Amino acid sequence: GLFLAKRPGKMRREYQRPEPRLFVTDGKTLWVYSPTEKQVVVQDVQDALASRLPLSFLAGNCDLGADFDVSLVENAATRREPATRILDLKPKRPEAGVARMLLEVNTKGYTVENVTLFDTYGNTTAIALRDIKINTGLDDQQFRFSPPPGVIVVTPGKP
């Protein structure tokens, strides 16, 4: 898939498996588009997410020290490969949906290469970030979405 982020609060996430899906936010509106269902759900970002922490983190709008208790995970893999460090992040304030995040950081470029998110419902989401490019001058248009013709637009909570 593809993941793009731009400050403040803009994000685009596309993937093809298990079925195509697109998530786009300009920081205010969140669009979740399913080409298979020919439907897009449009919501205010504040209303759409049980917790803003994962989105804030991924979009670069998060202060790790202020928002999380941070500890270093030591194990055989990190001792063998000192260029990799794993940070264990636990929200300082109770957050609906977020119990813990693990960040695998490459200390050569200080880039996050893997994120593992544990939610309060027992689910685990693992994201591997590859072919990372920083400060590429992303166009704001990439963080907007216009539904293709024939797509059903759903706006939860609005008549």
Side-chain angles (χ1 to χ4, degrees), residues 24-96:
V24 178
T25 182
D26 59 6
K28 295 180 175 122
T29 302
L30 174 67
W31 296 270
V32 180
Y33 174 53
S34 171
T36 305
E37 297 171 4
K38 294 186 170 99
Q39 174 178 294
V40 62
V41 177
V42 183
Q43 289 181 275
D44 183 282
V45 170
Q46 299 284 350
D47 297 336
L49 305 173
S51 170
R52 291 194 42 87
L53 275 181
L55 179 61
S56 295
F57 166 74
L58 290 171
N61 292 336
C62 181
D63 180 339
L64 293 184
D67 295 330
F68 296 95
D69 289 320
V70 181
S71 60
L72 187 63
V73 175
E74 288 287 342
N75 62 35
T78 59
R79 285 190 294 275
R80 184 182 74 245
E81 182 54 57
T84 300
R85 291 288 173 248
I86 299 173
L87 302 177
D88 189 348
L89 308 176
K90 294 180 182 150
K92 286 187 176 181
R93 291 172 297 285
E95 282 281 334

Side-chain angles (χ1 to χ4, degrees), residues 79 106 129 137 144:
R79 285 190 294 275
N106 178 321
L129 303 170
R144 294 189 190 103

Side-chain angles (χ1 to χ4, degrees), residues 97 100-102 115-127:
R100 178 180 177 209
M101 285 194 324
L102 294 176
V115 178
T116 306
L117 174 66
F118 302 90
D119 71 21
T120 54
Y121 309 106
N123 299 307
T124 302
T125 302
I127 302 169

